[in-house]
Structure formats: C-alpha cells, structure tokens
Amino acid sequence: MSCFLSCVRFDDSSTDNNKPMIKGSVSVSGVTCYSWDDVESLTSNFSKLIGSGGYSSIYLARLSNSNNAALKVHVSSHRLYQVFRSELEILLRLQHPHIVKLLGYFDDSEESGALLLEYLPQGNLQEKLNRNSKQVLQWRNRTAIAFQVAQAIEHIHEKCSPQIVHGDIKSSNILLDKHFNSKLCDFGSAKVGFSSMVQPSTTMSPRSSKQVMMIGSPGYTDPHYLRTGIASKKMDMYGFGVVVLELVSGKEAVSAERGEMLVHTAALLIHEILDSNGDIAEEKVRQFLDPRLYKDTSLDLEEVKTMLCVAAYCLRSPPSLRPSASQVVQKLVKKIPSLSFLGCGKEE
Ligand SMILES: Nc1ncnc2c1ncn2[C@@H]1O[C@H](COP(=O)(O)OP(=O)(O)OP(=O)(O)O)[C@@H](O)[C@H]1O
C-alpha cells in the first residue's frame, strides 16, 4: 500500500447529480420517455442486433436527428423488470464523460423496459482486446482507457450522492467510442448506498428456490465477495485490477481454451510486484506483455510497470488493502504524465 500512499492526495469533493425520476413525461433534461411504437420505429423493428448480455439484447436505433443510439431491451419478467428499473434510476442520476449516457427509455410499469443509450461504435473492450480483432489497441489507448475507467469508478464511488457500487466491472462493460475513449456501462448489478451488504436474493422459480443470485462475472469476481456476499467499493477495484491485467497482457479474464483465470496466471508476477513495490525485472514485464505491443512505438516499459503495479494493488486481499479509485487516478496521472492531458475525459 505504501506505493500508493506515497503518491496520492485524497479528494473528498462531492457533487450531487440527483435528477428527478421522470414518469409519463415526454422529455425532461434531455431524457425522453418513449412508447413501444416509438421503440419499434427507432430500431426499425429490431432489425440490427449489436450486442447481448445475460439479461438483455441491444439493438441499433436511429434518432430523428439521424444520430445512432443503442436500445437495451431487458428480458420481460417481473424479476428482471426490477433490474431494468434499478439501472434506469441509476443512469438518470449519472452524468460523466466516461459513463454511457442515457438518452431515453420505455417502461410499461409491470415487466418490460428498455433503455436508449448513446451508441459506442467501437463496441466493447473485451472484443477489441481479442486476438481475432483486426485492429490492435495501441499502448497509449490502453493507458487512457484504464485512466478513464478509474475516473468513472471514482465518480460513482466518491463524487455522486448517494454513492454507487457498480458490481460488475469487466472489459465487456467498457464501451469504446470512435477515438477509443471509454465509457462504463451496464449498471444492472449496481448497488446504491455505502458499502452495501447484499442479501443474496432467491430466484422466483420454486424449483431453484435455494439458488442465490450473486453479482459479478467469472474471472472478475472478488473472492472476498464470493465468501461473504458483502458488495463494497473494493469489489469494483478488484474487477478494475483484472481489466488492467487484460489491457497489459491482451489475455481474457478467463481463457476460452483452457478455462484458466488471468488472476491465477498472473499470481506469481503479482506477488513479486507487491514484494518489490513494483521494482521488477523488465524481462518479466515483457513475458507478461501482449506480444502485439512489441512493435508499438507508444510503448513505455516504465508505464507497463505502473499499470501492473496498479493491478497488483487492486487485487490485494483483504479488500481494505486495495486502493480507492481516486488513489488509482492520482497514481496513473503521476506515473504516466501524458494522461494528464486527457483531463477528466474530454467529450468528443
Ligand atoms: N451503448 C452501446 N453502444 C454499443 N454497444 C453496446 C451499448 N450497450 C451495450 N452494447 C453491447 O452490448 C453488450 C451487452 O451490454 P450490457 O452489458 O449492457 O448487457 P447486459 O444484459 O447487462 O449484460 P451482462 O450479461 O454483462 O449483465 C456490450 O458488451 C456491448 O457489446
């Protein structure tokens, strides 16, 4: 932890971005309430699927001003309607350059809902880091993405009221715009309130009534949360640590071929980093580095060490030893000075 404490300043400033919940209105503060007919027409009858998740399908939508948008349609069910409502209410509060922007929504008040979101044309970070991706994400983009995601987490953890735990930080929940600026999405697992204790809820099905619903995704879930069911800001920092390992190595959080977790593959290196306070041999750094970056002229091995150091501290146990998001932001700015030019993520 000393490596963090020596270079951070705490920022306790908070802004209240509460916005009133809209019900039945057409458009308030730029967020529009749509009818189902509107939704069908915006998506040309759901003609283009651009993504899917555990609880939803995402379609390309075209706004009246010809701009593209993304429509996230939640699976119809009473339980998932609560997930939709929770995500809607959280997104209505949030306004940050690195958090996906809510443009509108549809709500039947019973079991169906849809969110109209700004469209991020480069898709998600997991796809971009995939070995089969045509384009190799450059090192300077990777450091900027880590920085911007840390800023988004800092915002929900420390700068909005009430504070929010995202609960599912992973590379497929990080979307990229045309300049590879990142935006955090998917607040369906988020918990509002400080260090919330999550009482695992049972599913609606009587057959599976003993099944508990945990939040998080394989390869990213904080082992402390798995043991205790306590969702806290530090579980987001754990997920962030895994994302940073993905950015450095270009590997998936869970290997598709061998099912191996990246945190396990990197365990030895992480221990060495923590033991040496980040002072590790360049050769070891190179061994872990995404080989597609070897020829990247923007690559700087000292910056790679900084990123690995951030990841290592975010993955520490117990969670109290992990840095806060603002400590990570400060550390990245201090050690990767080019990031300070990004400011707090300029809008396009
Ligand atoms: N605004 C957007 N612009 C472009 N693509 C998007 C947008 N929102 C979502 N997607 C795509 O759809 C995928 C799934 O979105 P999202 O994570 O919000 O769904 P989910 O059902 O909550 O998924 P999960 O299973 O992670 O809970 C994203 O990884 C991304 O590829």
Side-chain angles (χ1 to χ4, degrees):
M1 198 67 180
S2 56
C3 157
F4 265 97
L5 294 178
S6 61
C7 63
V8 297
R9 234 170 1 101
F10 288 92
D11 183 355
D12 287 333
S13 61
S14 64
T15 41
D16 192 338
N17 282 327
N18 279 352
K19 286 190 209 158
M21 183 63 205
I22 313 160
K23 194 77 194 146
S25 54
V26 174
S27 179
V28 176
S29 313
V31 178
T32 308
C33 178
Y34 290 101
S35 68
W36 188 249
D37 284 350
D38 294 334
V39 163
E40 285 180 333
S41 124
L42 283 166
T43 58
S44 305
N45 271 320
F46 308 100
S47 56
K48 189 162 181 198
L49 184 72
I50 54 172
S52 54
Y55 309 119
S56 66
S57 300
I58 293 90
Y59 298 90
L60 188 68
R62 181 65 74 102
L63 304 176
S64 52
N65 61 8
S66 295
N67 283 345
N68 284 331
L71 187 90
K72 177 171 178 174
V73 188
H74 287 70
V75 171
S76 281
S77 88
H78 181 68
R79 187 174 67 82
L80 293 180
Y81 177 75
Q82 302 309 321
V83 174
F84 154 75
R85 284 293 306 186
S86 159
E87 186 167 11
L88 171 63
E89 280 169 37
I90 287 171
L91 285 175
L92 279 164
R93 292 172 201 275
L94 292 174
Q95 228 174 356
H96 187 270
H98 298 300
I99 294 177
V100 72
K101 190 174 171 191
L102 179 72
L103 306 173
Y105 65 94
F106 160 78
D107 181 4
D108 80 351
S109 306
E110 277 177 23
E111 60 170 37
S112 303
L115 301 169
L116 189 73
L117 305 163
E118 67 175 311
Y119 174 62
L120 278 300
Q122 296 281 355
N124 72 50
L125 175 63
Q126 185 185 42
E127 292 160 353
K128 271 285 161 296
L129 286 174
N130 190 286
R131 297 275 145 132
N132 299 324
S133 168
K134 285 184 216 120
Q135 218 171 1
V136 176
L137 206 51
Q138 288 192 314
W139 178 249
R140 65 162 183 271
N141 293 127
R142 299 188 195 206
T143 53
I145 289 166
F147 178 58
Q148 293 169 345
V149 173
Q151 287 180 315
I153 301 174
E154 178 188 33
H155 182 77
I156 61 172
H157 283 186
E158 292 164 45
K159 298 191 170 180
C160 70
S161 174
Q163 296 170 340
I164 296 164
V165 172
H166 183 278
D168 200 12
I169 300 288
K170 59 179 177 178
S171 55
S172 63
N173 283 340
I174 295 165
L175 304 175
L176 302 173
D177 73 11
K178 63 180 178 204
H179 302 300
F180 300 105
N181 287 309
S182 63
K183 309 235 180 190
L184 188 59
C185 75
D186 190 3
F187 286 77
S189 305
K191 301 286 157 209
V192 179
F194 193 79
S195 195
S196 38
M197 168 73 179
V198 178
Q199 297 294 351
S201 52
T202 53
T203 65
M204 299 304 286
S205 155
R207 269 198 301 160
S208 55
S209 60
K210 287 213 176 92
Q211 212 178 319
V212 291
M213 201 184 82
M214 300 293 276
I215 57 176
S217 300
Y220 297 91
T221 317
D222 176 6
H224 182 259
Y225 170 69
L226 283 177
R227 273 196 307 276
T228 62
I230 298 172
S232 73
K233 294 173 184 176
K234 297 297 169 122
M235 77 183 275
D236 283 349
M237 298 319 294
Y238 185 93
F240 177 78
V242 180
V243 170
V244 175
L245 288 184
E246 289 180 272
L247 284 164
V248 173
S249 67
K251 294 197 176 109
E252 296 164 289
V254 181
S255 144
E257 294 125 40
R258 284 174 294 175
E260 205 175 15
M261 291 212 274
L262 186 53
V263 281
H264 294 157
T265 321
L268 200 64
L269 182 67
I270 289 170
H271 275 122
E272 285 186 39
I273 291 167
L274 294 173
D275 287 349
S276 65
N277 220 354
D279 189 18
I280 39 165
E282 287 200 351
E283 195 195 322
K284 290 190 175 162
V285 175
R286 280 187 194 280
Q287 275 166 11
F288 189 72
L289 188 65
D290 185 343
R292 294 170 296 177
L293 291 172
Y294 289 166
K295 289 187 188 146
D296 185 339
T297 51
S298 69
L299 184 75
D300 175 329
L301 278 187
E302 284 306 310
E303 293 182 0
V304 180
K305 280 188 192 176
T306 298
M307 290 272 277
L308 285 172
C309 194
V310 164
Y313 280 89
C314 287
L315 295 168
R316 279 184 101 179
S317 280
S320 57
L321 293 176
R322 296 175 200 153
S324 66
S326 47
Q327 285 176 318
V328 169
V329 168
Q330 301 291 333
K331 167 103 178 167
L332 290 173
V333 168
K334 186 171 179 198
K335 298 283 189 166
I336 308 180
S338 59
L339 291 174
S340 57
F341 293 112
L342 294 173
C344 185
K346 279 180 248 151
E347 297 265 33
E348 277 178 62

